[in-house]
Amino acid sequence: MSITSPGGHRELSRGLLMLMATATGLCVGGNYLNQPLIDEISRHFGVTVSTAASSVTVAQFGYAIGLVLFVPLGDMVDRRKLAAGLILLSAAGQLVAASSTTFPVMLIGTGAASVFSVAAQVLVPFASELASPGRRGAAVGTMMSGLLIGILVARAVSGGLSLVGGWKTAYWILGGLLIVIAALLWRSLPTVAVPESFSLTRVPASMIDAWRRLPKVRSRSVMSGLLFASVSACFATMTPLLAGPPHRLGPAMIGLVGLLGVVGALAAGPIGRLADRGLGTQVVALGTGLLLVGWGTLWFGSSSVLMFGIGFILTDCGLQAAHIINLSVVYAQEPALRSRLNSLYMTTYFIGGSVGSAVAVFLWPRFGWHGVVLAAVGFVVAAGLVLVAETARDRRRPSHRDHPQHDPY
């Protein structure tokens, strides 16, 4: 049953946090179901592999649209209703894709599911709001663990399920699970009064104003976007690297290598607890350093799968360390705007990822793996310079805005 909360303190129970983290993983994981299934989708609909692969682009583009259109509404409407409604709409999209008889209909279902899967980005700031002040970093870390594990499991499970009942099996199962999770959230999430009335026309102006007024929102968003650009460069080129000589790994083995990312996902919770202890800036610096060490290790990945695996783990852990802390810092800048700040941050984050992928795809045929590594190192160094500049600015001009009350980061 939902709870109407007065203005007093609201405790986030462990059970509710795990339910929200699970919902986050299922929502976002659905955008990655199609990645291992491109060949099967191509054969089923009689389209080329490149045409079938456009479903991946549609999913990514749809998620970006949802970040801009729906996530900011969490500051102005009941997040319980918004999250449950978006999840139901995402479930409908997955079921449309599952029942499709033509490729265009499958694309429509995929696009709808991805647009509304941003329910995950409504739940993350909601968890931060519900958590007690000393537990907000840990709550964000747990939510991000659920999100990342959902992505990894979706990629692995969808391929396995296709062997049992065809490529549509994963879509049918996920659609059903999302309906169940929406009902559970509807019963379990509290109803929290929003601080301002709904006004769609005010959303863009308020987001632009927040970006202008809050320097840490800008610096932390850009920093994470640059770090994600470096890791996306790896994601964009790891398949041709590992499938080509001298490794010659098959799709299954490449998928298993990708599962090494679960290490970073599991580390997200402990990283959030470090933020609650006031070690945020040190953790971001450590994460940036881990990314540099990881890319130094990945340099040798062209000749050693072991070195690639070690470097992959280090870069993923470094990214998650910086990402969890930076997201928590952004939330702390102006709590009444959490959803809009989350939209600004995540949009910048995914723009960075798109840039990193595009740069890697451009460099791969011209300079090979080592060209990609050098570009990725450049992204990490740029992020480090942003952190240095922010620290110098804070020392010169400490202000309440840059260091909000009760902000442990």
Side-chain angles (χ1 to χ4, degrees):
M1 181 179 296
S2 65
I3 302 168
T4 301
S5 174
H9 173 65
R10 300 174 300 276
E11 184 64 40
L12 177 65
S13 69
R14 182 67 179 172
L16 179 56
L17 178 60
M18 296 309 296
L19 175 63
M20 295 172 75
T22 300
T24 300
L26 289 173
C27 286
V28 178
N31 297 331
Y32 296 85
L33 289 180
N34 53 1
Q35 291 190 2
L37 305 174
I38 297 302
D39 285 341
E40 290 187 63
I41 293 172
S42 169
R43 290 193 297 269
H44 180 86
F45 290 114
V47 298
T48 65
V49 171
S50 60
T51 299
S54 66
S55 63
V56 176
T57 304
V58 167
Q60 293 172 337
F61 186 64
Y63 194 73
I65 291 174
L67 284 172
V68 175
L69 292 182
F70 296 112
V71 172
L73 301 183
D75 293 327
M76 288 164 283
V77 299
D78 183 355
R79 286 192 182 120
R80 168 175 166 263
K81 295 178 180 178
L82 180 62
L86 290 174
I87 291 173
L88 283 176
L89 290 170
S90 184
Q94 298 290 358
L95 295 176
V96 167
S99 60
S100 60
T101 56
T102 65
F103 184 67
V105 173
M106 187 267 182
L107 281 185
I108 292 171
T110 298
S114 60
V115 167
F116 299 119
S117 70
V118 294
Q121 297 301 334
V122 173
L123 291 171
V124 174
F126 197 11
S128 176
E129 178 184 355
L130 294 176
S132 58
R135 297 284 301 164
R136 284 174 179 156
V140 172
T142 299
M143 293 294 288
M144 294 308 300
S145 289
L147 186 151
L148 295 166
I149 291 172
I151 292 172
L152 294 169
V153 170
R155 286 171 171 159
V157 170
S158 64
L161 288 174
S162 70
L163 300 176
V164 178
W167 69 269
K168 293 185 176 184
T169 306
Y171 287 84
W172 284 115
I173 292 175
L174 180 60
L177 287 175
L178 287 174
I179 293 172
V180 172
I181 208 77
L184 291 174
L185 288 173
W186 181 263
R187 289 179 56 85
S188 303
L189 288 174
T191 297
V192 180
V194 293
E196 60 180 282
S197 59
F198 174 77
S199 176
L200 188 60
T201 58
R202 279 210 311 270
V203 172
S206 65
M207 291 174 68
I208 293 171
D209 179 64
W211 183 267
R212 179 186 58 80
R213 286 188 300 106
L214 303 172
K216 280 198 174 179
V217 172
R218 298 194 301 269
S219 59
R220 297 301 176 119
S221 299
V222 171
M223 194 187 310
S224 288
L226 288 166
L227 294 178
F228 189 41
S230 78
V231 174
S232 293
C234 178
F235 289 149
T237 51
M238 64 179 287
T239 296
L241 172 71
L242 296 176
H247 306 307
R248 302 190 186 280
L249 300 184
M253 288 301 299
I254 293 174
L256 290 176
V257 172
L259 282 176
L260 293 174
V262 76
V263 177
L266 294 175
I271 290 166
R273 288 191 284 275
L274 289 174
D276 291 326
R277 293 170 56 189
L279 300 174
T281 300
Q282 296 92 319
V283 174
V284 174
L286 175 62
T288 305
L290 279 176
L291 274 154
L292 286 174
V293 174
W295 276 108
T297 307
L298 283 167
W299 177 273
F300 302 99
S302 59
S303 57
S304 169
V305 174
L306 176 61
M307 294 297 282
F308 183 92
I310 294 172
F312 188 84
I313 291 173
L314 289 173
T315 54
D316 190 63
C317 287
L319 174 66
Q320 298 315 319
H323 177 44
I324 299 305
I325 302 300
N326 287 341
L327 189 55
S328 298
V329 170
V330 167
Y331 287 164
Q333 296 308 296
E334 199 159 324
L337 303 181
R338 274 195 183 99
S339 291
R340 276 166 282 186
L341 297 182
N342 187 56
S343 179
L344 288 168
Y345 176 90
M346 293 306 301
T347 301
T348 308
Y349 189 77
F350 280 100
I351 288 173
S354 300
V355 170
S357 297
V359 168
V361 170
F362 174 81
L363 292 175
W364 173 259
R366 294 166 175 81
F367 303 102
W369 177 245
H370 291 152
V372 173
V373 171
L374 291 175
V377 169
F379 286 128
V380 177
V381 170
L385 292 175
V386 173
L387 179 61
V388 170
E390 180 197 273
T391 304
R393 186 199 69 230
D394 289 346
R395 288 174 178 168
R396 289 194 310 269
R397 296 181 299 151
S399 68
H400 174 74
R401 179 175 293 167
D402 283 359
H403 302 278
Q405 188 177 8
H406 308 305
D407 178 6
Y409 309 111

